[in-house]
Amino acid sequence: MAEATTNGKYKVIGTRPIRHDGADKVTGRAKYGADYTFPGMLHGKVLRSPHAHAIIKSINFDKALKLPGVKAIVTSKDLPSVANKLEQAGEMAINPHHLSMNILAHDRVLYDGHAIAAVAAINGHIAEEAVRLIEVEYEVLPPVMTVDVAMKPGATILHKDLRNQEDGDKQTNVAQHYQFKRGDVAAGFKAADYVVEREFKTAMVHQGYIEPHNAVGIYSSDGTATIYCSTQGAFEVRSFSAQVLGMPVGKIRVVPAEIGGGFGGKTTVYLEPLSVLLSKKTGAPVKLVMSRAEVLRASGPTSGSQIKVKMGATKDGKLVAAEIWMAYEAGAFPGSPVGAGAMCIITPYKVENFLIDAYDVVVNRPKTAAYRAPGATNAAFASETVIDELAEKCGIDPIDFRIKNGVKEGDAQTVGPPFKRIGFIQTCEAIKNSPHYKSKLTGKNRGRGVASGFWFNAGMNSSATVNIHADGTASVVTGSPDIGGSRASMAMITAEVLGLSANDVRPVTADTDSIGHTDVTGGSRVTFATGMAVYEAAQDAVKQMIERASKVWEKKPDEVEFRDGKFFAKGNGVPPMSIKDLAPRFSRTGGPITGRASVNGRGVGPGFATTCVDVEVDPETGKVQILRCTIAQDAGKAIHPSYVEGQMQGGTAQGLGWGLNEEYFYDEKGILRNVGLLDYRMPTCLDLPMIETCVVEEANPGHPLGVRGVGEVSIVPPPAALANAIYRAVGVRMLETPMSPPKVLKAVLKHGGSAQHSAAAD
Amino acid sequence: MATVIIPALLRKFTDGIDRVDVAGGTIREVVRNLGTRFPGIIDQLIEHDELKPSVAVSIDGEMATGGVLERVGEDSEVHFIPAIGGGT
């Protein structure tokens, strides 16, 4: 039920109405990608590589094709040759050649699970059997699994044609080097009283969305195709599929289904082009759905990484220098988020002298995809641990140390430009003033840790239409798949402008032919940019309705005002008219009212978060139990506070899982050994306490409602906060994720056996 | 004239200079004038009369969305920075 807003300026924004899609979701009526079915539909399965690295010498699918019920088999030979260079695809940049090679391996397989061929058959069982009958001859090559091995001179090369900007014509596994530099690093360290230098490793982890990838492709004899799929970006699916298939963008329509989680992992394509390719070959709709094992082996987890951080501070607690080296696993093709990680790693702090070198490195693992604040969590695990250690050396409370060095409006970002209004310090102060931080933590082997994080947030393109119905209610149509409650926010923004209730507005997510271009649901951008488009579209509808009201009253438009959902004629005592009163007169005054807006979202407001976590470590087993966790995050403006809190809690839960247990576990041959959710250990409700939230609202001056976007930054601090808490619990600095029981136990034993730290004594 | 901050890895094209005043009312003009003074830098920033997909530009603290057509003020501060990789 809606409740009174705490912000008197708004009537709808800031309340907590029940989500519009809730009833369909809890009753099972909501249609997800795998629910789609069409007459004559075939089922597809994918043959995947059993090797991490091998040359494909031959593929023979004669036996498979003869199996009754098999309708078609495709390999990379069915894909057109495409450009091998970074190209703009919508607002995102991709290398079409690399994307094509990831969809179906060309001459070599580059990771365990790499797709080689796809089969369409009358049912899934026959398709599976056909996959087993395909014969592939391999020449197995040594796998290159980690960045240190990949970067060694003489390392096995994954791509003969890969070059970077610095090594000329030399073959390499280093796809890109980024560097950020400011001031005089040597002089900075000379001025430091304390210097901490540490090396960190983080494991490759998966987003862990519950719904596997899926797609239904329908190729029509007129040369057009329709794709139904689970995606964060229907327009990206359209442009990426067009690139891979060599089709014009305008010939492909993508219908986004309900989505069972994405967290960045559903911003690219895997099955979608295959479904069209198989449909084209068979003349029938073709559906493909990944198994959990396929999701883990062959979709896009985020990078494992190696990071070296050296930072210095004066004894009064001023950060004076940082020197950082970082290398991220891109997976089989270039494009890890190491550049973003480098641009985030010390951004919360004013550091006058720094040098950051960052390397994007290909390895025989699945091509990484985005994962909530891509690259920033790995980075913060390293930098925030070192910050904690420096604070301790300086004898300063870790929150006070962050406040002392934290960035404010006007301070330079790592990449150079100054911040506009931001709320980093406020997140630190919110934690400092929280009941959690003020509480006393007592008991043996218990410790409290804090950490902070930064993420840019994104703008990009969004479109919206607002239709006013004959009964005075409205619908708002956008192209943003709803992965976190954004439909409710879009309806609430529309309702706020129109003076309606949130329930009077029906939010709709449209397909790529039914709404103007709208970029991916990612980068925490939907409530910011699509919300901006919705705000402007609703304003456009209001402007049109003012003209209609003026016609009815035979006034000039500037003699009519709109406020609180009603039209008022200036000065003549005529009773005000509601939208409901005016709507039946639309057809006599000029036709239907549709407000429209398309924006290229400027004024992005970056996000900051600070997290506090209490843990208890069992020194006999190394198990870390989370006792309490609180996050403070700057939302700018929380349109629907429950969904903002939900994003904060969700990101925190994922960050805690990343920190404690999750990892891709490969054997010496490069084969992934934990391909199910029993072995890939995500946190469950039994592992986590209720995560407490402090929503900071430092309005973003670049948005009409002050919105920043909240989907990502909450994942950034938890692993570092856990490491810092474990240190205070048992006295060991954990330098590697996951901080799973064997690793914590090993560190505790190395430190001197069963430490018996008393939190109260610290 | 606008002040252009040169990214660390492009300073090899500017003799190590990290900031330079450049005339131009748009990013296209700024880059062209920058290239006149420091040959070689244009190819690092521009391709087919548009910013390379790997390059983003910030003008006065705001991420510019208009590419080479973006307006640059007389006293603007222009930063060329890597486009965020790895998707969002």
Side-chain angles (χ1 to χ4, degrees), chain A residues 574-600:
Chain A
V574 175
M577 191 163 33
S578 67
I579 295 178
K580 202 171 183 177
D581 299 328
L582 181 62
R585 308 182 81 157
F586 286 166
S587 67
R588 297 285 187 193
T589 54
I593 297 288
T594 298
R596 296 182 186 84
S598 287
V599 303
N600 189 334

PDB file of all heavy atoms in Angstrom, chain A residues 574-600:
ATOM      1  N   VAL A 574     -14.024  29.297 -13.508  1.00  0.00           N
ATOM      2  CA  VAL A 574     -14.481  28.011 -14.046  1.00  0.00           C
ATOM      3  C   VAL A 574     -13.923  26.898 -13.172  1.00  0.00           C
ATOM      4  O   VAL A 574     -12.754  26.938 -12.802  1.00  0.00           O
ATOM      5  CB  VAL A 574     -13.978  27.833 -15.502  1.00  0.00           C
ATOM      6  CG1 VAL A 574     -14.336  26.446 -16.045  1.00  0.00           C
ATOM      7  CG2 VAL A 574     -14.564  28.913 -16.385  1.00  0.00           C
ATOM      8  N   PRO A 575     -14.742  25.897 -12.825  1.00  0.00           N
ATOM      9  CA  PRO A 575     -14.215  24.811 -11.987  1.00  0.00           C
ATOM     10  C   PRO A 575     -13.061  24.105 -12.678  1.00  0.00           C
ATOM     11  O   PRO A 575     -13.077  23.982 -13.911  1.00  0.00           O
ATOM     12  CB  PRO A 575     -15.410  23.872 -11.824  1.00  0.00           C
ATOM     13  CG  PRO A 575     -16.600  24.613 -12.284  1.00  0.00           C
ATOM     14  CD  PRO A 575     -16.138  25.690 -13.196  1.00  0.00           C
ATOM     15  N   PRO A 576     -12.088  23.658 -11.921  1.00  0.00           N
ATOM     16  CA  PRO A 576     -10.961  22.957 -12.550  1.00  0.00           C
ATOM     17  C   PRO A 576     -11.419  21.653 -13.203  1.00  0.00           C
ATOM     18  O   PRO A 576     -12.485  21.121 -12.879  1.00  0.00           O
ATOM     19  CB  PRO A 576     -10.020  22.684 -11.387  1.00  0.00           C
ATOM     20  CG  PRO A 576     -10.854  22.798 -10.166  1.00  0.00           C
ATOM     21  CD  PRO A 576     -11.950  23.739 -10.475  1.00  0.00           C
ATOM     22  N   MET A 577     -10.586  21.185 -14.112  1.00  0.00           N
ATOM     23  CA  MET A 577     -10.911  19.974 -14.869  1.00  0.00           C
ATOM     24  C   MET A 577      -9.785  18.954 -14.636  1.00  0.00           C
ATOM     25  O   MET A 577      -8.604  19.292 -14.751  1.00  0.00           O
ATOM     26  CB  MET A 577     -10.964  20.354 -16.362  1.00  0.00           C
ATOM     27  CG  MET A 577     -11.540  19.296 -17.243  1.00  0.00           C
ATOM     28  SD  MET A 577     -12.047  19.938 -18.881  1.00  0.00           S
ATOM     29  CE  MET A 577     -10.947  21.214 -19.288  1.00  0.00           C
ATOM     30  N   SER A 578     -10.166  17.742 -14.296  1.00  0.00           N
ATOM     31  CA  SER A 578      -9.141  16.704 -14.119  1.00  0.00           C
ATOM     32  C   SER A 578      -8.811  16.065 -15.467  1.00  0.00           C
ATOM     33  O   SER A 578      -9.524  16.291 -16.461  1.00  0.00           O
ATOM     34  CB  SER A 578      -9.656  15.626 -13.170  1.00  0.00           C
ATOM     35  OG  SER A 578     -10.728  14.931 -13.785  1.00  0.00           O
ATOM     36  N   ILE A 579      -7.752  15.260 -15.492  1.00  0.00           N
ATOM     37  CA  ILE A 579      -7.431  14.532 -16.735  1.00  0.00           C
ATOM     38  C   ILE A 579      -8.609  13.631 -17.103  1.00  0.00           C
ATOM     39  O   ILE A 579      -8.955  13.477 -18.267  1.00  0.00           O
ATOM     40  CB  ILE A 579      -6.128  13.721 -16.564  1.00  0.00           C
ATOM     41  CG1 ILE A 579      -4.937  14.662 -16.363  1.00  0.00           C
ATOM     42  CG2 ILE A 579      -5.882  12.811 -17.766  1.00  0.00           C
ATOM     43  CD1 ILE A 579      -3.608  13.964 -16.136  1.00  0.00           C
ATOM     44  N   LYS A 580      -9.240  13.059 -16.080  1.00  0.00           N
ATOM     45  CA  LYS A 580     -10.396  12.189 -16.308  1.00  0.00           C
ATOM     46  C   LYS A 580     -11.527  12.971 -16.993  1.00  0.00           C
ATOM     47  O   LYS A 580     -12.224  12.441 -17.858  1.00  0.00           O
ATOM     48  CB  LYS A 580     -10.866  11.641 -14.958  1.00  0.00           C
ATOM     49  CG  LYS A 580     -11.668  10.388 -15.035  1.00  0.00           C
ATOM     50  CD  LYS A 580     -11.882   9.843 -13.624  1.00  0.00           C
ATOM     51  CE  LYS A 580     -12.642   8.536 -13.692  1.00  0.00           C
ATOM     52  NZ  LYS A 580     -12.812   7.939 -12.381  1.00  0.00           N
ATOM     53  N   ASP A 581     -11.708  14.231 -16.602  1.00  0.00           N
ATOM     54  CA  ASP A 581     -12.746  15.054 -17.232  1.00  0.00           C
ATOM     55  C   ASP A 581     -12.385  15.388 -18.670  1.00  0.00           C
ATOM     56  O   ASP A 581     -13.239  15.459 -19.553  1.00  0.00           O
ATOM     57  CB  ASP A 581     -12.915  16.390 -16.465  1.00  0.00           C
ATOM     58  CG  ASP A 581     -13.352  16.172 -15.022  1.00  0.00           C
ATOM     59  OD1 ASP A 581     -14.076  15.179 -14.780  1.00  0.00           O
ATOM     60  OD2 ASP A 581     -12.947  16.968 -14.153  1.00  0.00           O
ATOM     61  N   LEU A 582     -11.100  15.628 -18.878  1.00  0.00           N
ATOM     62  CA  LEU A 582     -10.661  16.095 -20.203  1.00  0.00           C
ATOM     63  C   LEU A 582     -10.551  14.946 -21.204  1.00  0.00           C
ATOM     64  O   LEU A 582     -10.809  15.116 -22.399  1.00  0.00           O
ATOM     65  CB  LEU A 582      -9.294  16.800 -20.056  1.00  0.00           C
ATOM     66  CG  LEU A 582      -8.667  17.380 -21.319  1.00  0.00           C
ATOM     67  CD1 LEU A 582      -9.560  18.485 -21.927  1.00  0.00           C
ATOM     68  CD2 LEU A 582      -7.271  17.957 -21.010  1.00  0.00           C
ATOM     69  N   ALA A 583     -10.159  13.750 -20.720  1.00  0.00           N
ATOM     70  CA  ALA A 583      -9.839  12.635 -21.626  1.00  0.00           C
ATOM     71  C   ALA A 583     -10.955  12.304 -22.624  1.00  0.00           C
ATOM     72  O   ALA A 583     -10.666  12.067 -23.806  1.00  0.00           O
ATOM     73  CB  ALA A 583      -9.453  11.404 -20.810  1.00  0.00           C
ATOM     74  N   PRO A 584     -12.245  12.287 -22.215  1.00  0.00           N
ATOM     75  CA  PRO A 584     -13.286  11.964 -23.197  1.00  0.00           C
ATOM     76  C   PRO A 584     -13.386  12.988 -24.329  1.00  0.00           C
ATOM     77  O   PRO A 584     -14.025  12.721 -25.353  1.00  0.00           O
ATOM     78  CB  PRO A 584     -14.574  11.969 -22.357  1.00  0.00           C
ATOM     79  CG  PRO A 584     -14.132  11.789 -20.946  1.00  0.00           C
ATOM     80  CD  PRO A 584     -12.805  12.448 -20.867  1.00  0.00           C
ATOM     81  N   ARG A 585     -12.775  14.136 -24.148  1.00  0.00           N
ATOM     82  CA  ARG A 585     -12.891  15.192 -25.165  1.00  0.00           C
ATOM     83  C   ARG A 585     -11.678  15.243 -26.095  1.00  0.00           C
ATOM     84  O   ARG A 585     -11.566  16.136 -26.926  1.00  0.00           O
ATOM     85  CB  ARG A 585     -13.087  16.536 -24.458  1.00  0.00           C
ATOM     86  CG  ARG A 585     -14.231  16.467 -23.458  1.00  0.00           C
ATOM     87  CD  ARG A 585     -14.489  17.779 -22.767  1.00  0.00           C
ATOM     88  NE  ARG A 585     -15.283  18.673 -23.615  1.00  0.00           N
ATOM     89  CZ  ARG A 585     -16.015  19.676 -23.137  1.00  0.00           C
ATOM     90  NH1 ARG A 585     -16.061  19.900 -21.840  1.00  0.00           N
ATOM     91  NH2 ARG A 585     -16.682  20.455 -23.943  1.00  0.00           N
ATOM     92  N   PHE A 586     -10.765  14.277 -25.941  1.00  0.00           N
ATOM     93  CA  PHE A 586      -9.561  14.293 -26.779  1.00  0.00           C
ATOM     94  C   PHE A 586      -9.904  14.248 -28.259  1.00  0.00           C
ATOM     95  O   PHE A 586      -9.358  14.986 -29.072  1.00  0.00           O
ATOM     96  CB  PHE A 586      -8.649  13.090 -26.452  1.00  0.00           C
ATOM     97  CG  PHE A 586      -7.897  13.203 -25.150  1.00  0.00           C
ATOM     98  CD1 PHE A 586      -7.280  12.085 -24.601  1.00  0.00           C
ATOM     99  CD2 PHE A 586      -7.787  14.410 -24.481  1.00  0.00           C
ATOM    100  CE1 PHE A 586      -6.582  12.169 -23.410  1.00  0.00           C
ATOM    101  CE2 PHE A 586      -7.091  14.503 -23.281  1.00  0.00           C
ATOM    102  CZ  PHE A 586      -6.494  13.375 -22.746  1.00  0.00           C
ATOM    103  N   SER A 587     -10.836  13.344 -28.638  1.00  0.00           N
ATOM    104  CA  SER A 587     -11.075  13.149 -30.073  1.00  0.00           C
ATOM    105  C   SER A 587     -11.726  14.380 -30.699  1.00  0.00           C
ATOM    106  O   SER A 587     -11.571  14.623 -31.887  1.00  0.00           O
ATOM    107  CB  SER A 587     -11.920  11.899 -30.308  1.00  0.00           C
ATOM    108  OG  SER A 587     -13.202  12.092 -29.793  1.00  0.00           O
ATOM    109  N   ARG A 588     -12.458  15.194 -29.908  1.00  0.00           N
ATOM    110  CA  ARG A 588     -13.098  16.413 -30.447  1.00  0.00           C
ATOM    111  C   ARG A 588     -12.154  17.609 -30.420  1.00  0.00           C
ATOM    112  O   ARG A 588     -12.466  18.666 -30.926  1.00  0.00           O
ATOM    113  CB  ARG A 588     -14.335  16.772 -29.608  1.00  0.00           C
ATOM    114  CG  ARG A 588     -15.429  15.718 -29.632  1.00  0.00           C
ATOM    115  CD  ARG A 588     -16.179  15.735 -30.939  1.00  0.00           C
ATOM    116  NE  ARG A 588     -17.328  14.832 -30.885  1.00  0.00           N
ATOM    117  CZ  ARG A 588     -18.003  14.459 -31.957  1.00  0.00           C
ATOM    118  NH1 ARG A 588     -17.660  14.899 -33.163  1.00  0.00           N
ATOM    119  NH2 ARG A 588     -19.022  13.649 -31.838  1.00  0.00           N
ATOM    120  N   THR A 589     -11.014  17.432 -29.771  1.00  0.00           N
ATOM    121  CA  THR A 589     -10.109  18.589 -29.654  1.00  0.00           C
ATOM    122  C   THR A 589      -8.771  18.375 -30.371  1.00  0.00           C
ATOM    123  O   THR A 589      -7.849  19.169 -30.227  1.00  0.00           O
ATOM    124  CB  THR A 589      -9.813  18.893 -28.170  1.00  0.00           C
ATOM    125  OG1 THR A 589      -9.332  17.700 -27.539  1.00  0.00           O
ATOM    126  CG2 THR A 589     -11.054  19.394 -27.453  1.00  0.00           C
ATOM    127  N   GLY A 590      -8.677  17.273 -31.144  1.00  0.00           N
ATOM    128  CA  GLY A 590      -7.427  17.083 -31.893  1.00  0.00           C
ATOM    129  C   GLY A 590      -6.912  15.666 -31.946  1.00  0.00           C
ATOM    130  O   GLY A 590      -5.918  15.383 -32.613  1.00  0.00           O
ATOM    131  N   GLY A 591      -7.568  14.740 -31.220  1.00  0.00           N
ATOM    132  CA  GLY A 591      -7.131  13.343 -31.294  1.00  0.00           C
ATOM    133  C   GLY A 591      -6.453  12.869 -30.029  1.00  0.00           C
ATOM    134  O   GLY A 591      -6.384  13.597 -29.029  1.00  0.00           O
ATOM    135  N   PRO A 592      -5.963  11.634 -30.048  1.00  0.00           N
ATOM    136  CA  PRO A 592      -5.382  11.047 -28.833  1.00  0.00           C
ATOM    137  C   PRO A 592      -4.154  11.830 -28.332  1.00  0.00           C
ATOM    138  O   PRO A 592      -3.479  12.510 -29.102  1.00  0.00           O
ATOM    139  CB  PRO A 592      -4.950   9.642 -29.285  1.00  0.00           C
ATOM    140  CG  PRO A 592      -5.695   9.380 -30.546  1.00  0.00           C
ATOM    141  CD  PRO A 592      -5.924  10.703 -31.186  1.00  0.00           C
ATOM    142  N   ILE A 593      -3.914  11.682 -27.055  1.00  0.00           N
ATOM    143  CA  ILE A 593      -2.742  12.325 -26.437  1.00  0.00           C
ATOM    144  C   ILE A 593      -1.673  11.260 -26.184  1.00  0.00           C
ATOM    145  O   ILE A 593      -1.899  10.297 -25.457  1.00  0.00           O
ATOM    146  CB  ILE A 593      -3.110  12.983 -25.090  1.00  0.00           C
ATOM    147  CG1 ILE A 593      -4.133  14.096 -25.290  1.00  0.00           C
ATOM    148  CG2 ILE A 593      -1.854  13.491 -24.379  1.00  0.00           C
ATOM    149  CD1 ILE A 593      -3.596  15.349 -25.946  1.00  0.00           C
ATOM    150  N   THR A 594      -0.541  11.452 -26.821  1.00  0.00           N
ATOM    151  CA  THR A 594       0.616  10.601 -26.583  1.00  0.00           C
ATOM    152  C   THR A 594       1.826  11.498 -26.365  1.00  0.00           C
ATOM    153  O   THR A 594       2.229  12.226 -27.279  1.00  0.00           O
ATOM    154  CB  THR A 594       0.876   9.670 -27.780  1.00  0.00           C
ATOM    155  OG1 THR A 594      -0.266   8.816 -27.954  1.00  0.00           O
ATOM    156  CG2 THR A 594       2.093   8.791 -27.543  1.00  0.00           C
ATOM    157  N   GLY A 595       2.370  11.442 -25.163  1.00  0.00           N
ATOM    158  CA  GLY A 595       3.596  12.199 -24.891  1.00  0.00           C
ATOM    159  C   GLY A 595       4.801  11.365 -25.280  1.00  0.00           C
ATOM    160  O   GLY A 595       4.809  10.150 -25.083  1.00  0.00           O
ATOM    161  N   ARG A 596       5.779  12.008 -25.865  1.00  0.00           N
ATOM    162  CA  ARG A 596       6.956  11.258 -26.333  1.00  0.00           C
ATOM    163  C   ARG A 596       8.236  11.960 -25.892  1.00  0.00           C
ATOM    164  O   ARG A 596       8.284  13.191 -25.823  1.00  0.00           O
ATOM    165  CB  ARG A 596       6.991  11.201 -27.867  1.00  0.00           C
ATOM    166  CG  ARG A 596       5.856  10.447 -28.500  1.00  0.00           C
ATOM    167  CD  ARG A 596       6.034  10.419 -30.019  1.00  0.00           C
ATOM    168  NE  ARG A 596       4.880   9.809 -30.668  1.00  0.00           N
ATOM    169  CZ  ARG A 596       3.766  10.449 -30.976  1.00  0.00           C
ATOM    170  NH1 ARG A 596       3.648  11.738 -30.684  1.00  0.00           N
ATOM    171  NH2 ARG A 596       2.771   9.818 -31.561  1.00  0.00           N
ATOM    172  N   ALA A 597       9.253  11.164 -25.660  1.00  0.00           N
ATOM    173  CA  ALA A 597      10.587  11.743 -25.416  1.00  0.00           C
ATOM    174  C   ALA A 597      11.657  10.697 -25.689  1.00  0.00           C
ATOM    175  O   ALA A 597      11.452   9.514 -25.431  1.00  0.00           O
ATOM    176  CB  ALA A 597      10.700  12.228 -23.976  1.00  0.00           C
ATOM    177  N   SER A 598      12.738  11.159 -26.254  1.00  0.00           N
ATOM    178  CA  SER A 598      13.940  10.336 -26.379  1.00  0.00           C
ATOM    179  C   SER A 598      15.095  11.162 -25.850  1.00  0.00           C
ATOM    180  O   SER A 598      15.204  12.349 -26.170  1.00  0.00           O
ATOM    181  CB  SER A 598      14.199   9.958 -27.844  1.00  0.00           C
ATOM    182  OG  SER A 598      13.269   8.991 -28.252  1.00  0.00           O
ATOM    183  N   VAL A 599      15.935  10.563 -25.027  1.00  0.00           N
ATOM    184  CA  VAL A 599      17.039  11.312 -24.417  1.00  0.00           C
ATOM    185  C   VAL A 599      18.353  10.571 -24.618  1.00  0.00           C
ATOM    186  O   VAL A 599      18.383   9.360 -24.775  1.00  0.00           O
ATOM    187  CB  VAL A 599      16.825  11.530 -22.895  1.00  0.00           C
ATOM    188  CG1 VAL A 599      15.509  12.235 -22.623  1.00  0.00           C
ATOM    189  CG2 VAL A 599      16.889  10.214 -22.131  1.00  0.00           C
ATOM    190  N   ASN A 600      19.411  11.355 -24.649  1.00  0.00           N
ATOM    191  CA  ASN A 600      20.752  10.795 -24.562  1.00  0.00           C
ATOM    192  C   ASN A 600      21.254  11.272 -23.210  1.00  0.00           C
ATOM    193  O   ASN A 600      21.722  12.403 -23.081  1.00  0.00           O
ATOM    194  CB  ASN A 600      21.608  11.308 -25.712  1.00  0.00           C
ATOM    195  CG  ASN A 600      22.925  10.583 -25.793  1.00  0.00           C
ATOM    196  OD1 ASN A 600      23.418  10.080 -24.796  1.00  0.00           O
ATOM    197  ND2 ASN A 600      23.489  10.530 -26.966  1.00  0.00           N
TER     198      ASN A 600
END
